[in-house]
Amino acid sequence: MINNFKSYLEKHSFKLLWLAIFFYVLFFCLICLWKYNHYLYNALDLAIFNQVFYNTSFGHWFESSIQPPTYLADHFEPLILSLSFIYSFWRDPRLLLILQSLILGLAAWPIYLITKEIFSQCQRKKFYALLAGLFFLANPLVHNINLFEFHILPWAIVLILFTFYFYQKKKFWPFLAFIILSLLVREDVSLVIFMFGPLYLIDFYRQYYHLKLKWRDLFWVLVPLILSLIWFFSALRVISFFNPDSHYKFLVYYAWLGGSFSEIIINIFQHPLKVIVHLLNIGNLEMLLGFFFSFLLLPLWSPRYLLLTFGVFSQIVLGAPGGSELIINTHYSSLFLPGLIISSLYGAKIFLERRKKIIKESQPIIKKNFFVIAYFQETFRILMREKQLLTIIVVVALIFFNLTFGPLVGFASHYLNDIQKEEKIIQDELLKKVPAEASLIASYGFLSNLSSRQNIYALNYVFLGKKQMSEKSYLLPDKIDWLVVNFNDFLYFQLQYKEKNEFKNDYLKGPQNIKKLFQEKNFGLVEIFDNFAVFQQNKADKINFVQIIKNGESKNKNSFVLNNEINYLGATQALILKQNLANQQVKFLETTLFWRALKKIEKEYQLKLGFEDEKGKIVHYKVYPLVYGLYPTSAWQPDEKIAVTYRFLIP
């Protein structure tokens, strides 16, 4: 029966592969759209790319106001120009999410082709090719890339895999064509393409045991080397030209090694101990274990193809942050995947060949010497012989690594609990107030959903007053129509910036930058619910949601002093505010809280609101930025009285 099933899979492998690709793309498109509709794309990338695509589709190539003046100051990604033609049919971030799911699903196709070549001498080569494609589609690293944000890098996975397929088939012109297409994705794809040259030398030597190359062989070595180097340094010149700071800004990650490429390379060799100490950290180990376990340790059976990851690996581990769990949880793993996939496929072949050999060897290997090692070897041999047990271990491992490394558990928790139902309704209603073409500033969670416009600015850069990785000011035009805020951003700013030395001074200036923004742009409150608010330029405030009164003092029976720094002066009587939003009644607790600073405060205090049941047990709580984060406690002046009106969501 099992043999009949394998024969069926073998016979219909290609159709089944495309069926699996279809369901993968459909499943992840639905998740991406759900995530988008719930304002969970909050890491800037989707917003930045969508605005670049939007402007490019209208002929304003690579223009960006989120990271001004142009995306070319960040990366050189000519592929955007061709994809923008597709984007012009539906100028919406959701199209980018669909395209990303599609291209990641399509990567199973070249994997299928590569696997057929690797197992070309095997009777069930199509069966193994189908398994390889399915394994890729079930890999948690792929899911992380798909659900994190949008990036161009996933296109490199498919193109590099096709590059390797034609390398494998020894078809030079298609190989060259896919090298060029791969390089068009981004400048650092060169780090992968470059390694095809050394890889050919290794493969040639393993086949012929010498390196007497003919002219034809030299092309296979020199073309990837020369093209990748020319492209990489040309792209850096383009980026430096468009960057107002006139350099490649991501070199800041390598400042501990030097200020230029030549200094970095020289210092790597002059100070090897310093480099070794930098490499030996938990983050790098965590990243490596994540990669290898996600591929069931198969790359270790054929490590030479990991050479394709060497350049990207060096790029990550030599950077100041180094490797970490972040790499395996985001798009940063994209350029690692081709090398890991190819090593895994060749590793699987070696593993299966080793298994056949072990099955033929029936005698035990336990000897008196190295007793523990011998038992370990015999246990390994038993596992290799028992096909059903081995299959169970592989399936359990796949499930385990998806649960631990992948994003699906987190998504399921969000979806099943529907914890943001009321918040989504509020955000949907507030965004209806913002005209489609209006210029605006937006919080993290709103940026992506509002980014299909020419002029949109990021609140985090307004808070810092600087562009990303630059000392240049983040300048705003005189006229900005709207400000759309999730005040939780001010909690994130504290975590992101205050505790990091490189941002600490900028964080301290943040409240003044926000105060200046409201004064210069004359923003008035249009509507506010819970943490969410919409402001319009030259508009009167709907309610006095924040008031600062000099030398004010009042007390009631509920007043108290916190840490001898803050005097809570009481609150107005709470009102239950009922609002019909999206044909659903949503309740809010409206009250004004009064505070007074007793002295200069260094800490940042926040507000924690809890809801109790009849037994006094807290059943729900939420942390709010005190004074909405617009006037943090570290900026309070002694004896100032602060009145803050909140509309707390009653969940």
Side-chain angles (χ1 to χ4, degrees), residues 53-253:
F53 271 95
Y54 180 86
N55 287 331
T56 300
S57 69
F58 283 109
H60 307 291
W61 288 7
F62 301 103
E63 188 178 297
S64 173
S65 61
I66 298 175
Q67 289 191 346
T70 170
Y71 185 68
L72 290 174
D74 284 12
H75 292 291
F76 188 50
E77 299 176 352
L79 187 63
I80 289 174
L81 293 175
S82 56
L83 292 177
S84 64
F85 172 75
I86 302 172
Y87 180 85
S88 63
F89 290 98
W90 184 31
R91 295 179 171 95
D92 193 282
R94 287 167 286 190
L95 177 60
L96 298 182
L97 298 174
I98 291 168
L99 289 175
Q100 180 168 257
S101 298
L102 177 62
I103 201 67
L104 282 167
L106 287 175
W109 178 23
I111 291 171
Y112 177 89
L113 298 175
I114 291 168
T115 310
K116 273 207 313 178
E117 286 299 309
I118 293 172
F119 289 89
S120 58
Q121 303 302 316
C122 179
Q123 185 180 359
R124 297 200 184 277
K125 61 182 180 182
K126 292 182 180 179
F127 170 71
Y128 289 126
L130 175 61
L131 287 184
L134 296 178
F135 178 83
F136 171 82
L137 295 176
N139 193 289
L141 297 183
V142 179
H143 304 165
N144 286 336
I145 294 168
N146 206 329
L147 294 183
F148 171 59
E149 288 275 331
F150 174 85
H151 270 272
I152 293 294
L153 280 179
W155 271 260
I157 299 171
V158 177
L159 296 172
I160 292 170
L161 287 171
F162 270 116
T163 302
F164 183 82
Y165 173 67
F166 290 111
Y167 168 88
Q168 198 181 30
K169 296 283 287 183
K170 293 296 178 284
K171 294 184 177 180
F172 181 78
W173 292 112
F175 171 71
L176 176 60
F178 276 97
I179 280 179
I180 295 169
L181 289 173
S182 299
L183 292 173
L184 291 175
V185 175
R186 204 166 91 169
E187 70 277 357
D188 48 354
V189 176
S190 306
L191 301 175
V192 180
I193 298 301
F194 181 89
M195 301 315 297
F196 274 96
L199 181 63
Y200 187 87
L201 290 175
I202 293 171
D203 286 343
F204 186 91
Y205 184 80
R206 285 172 61 89
Q207 184 176 358
Y208 300 109
Y209 300 101
H210 65 77
L211 288 176
K212 298 176 181 177
L213 303 177
K214 298 179 181 178
W215 278 106
R216 181 180 57 189
D217 299 311
L218 284 173
F219 277 111
W220 287 91
V221 176
L222 295 177
V223 165
L225 292 177
I226 294 171
L227 278 182
S228 59
L229 285 173
I230 291 173
W231 182 261
F232 182 72
F233 287 105
S234 298
L236 294 192
R237 290 291 297 273
V238 171
I239 294 167
S240 298
F241 175 80
F242 285 100
N243 186 351
D245 293 322
S246 301
H247 63 78
Y248 185 56
K249 70 181 184 183
F250 297 107
L251 271 182
V252 70
Y253 289 136

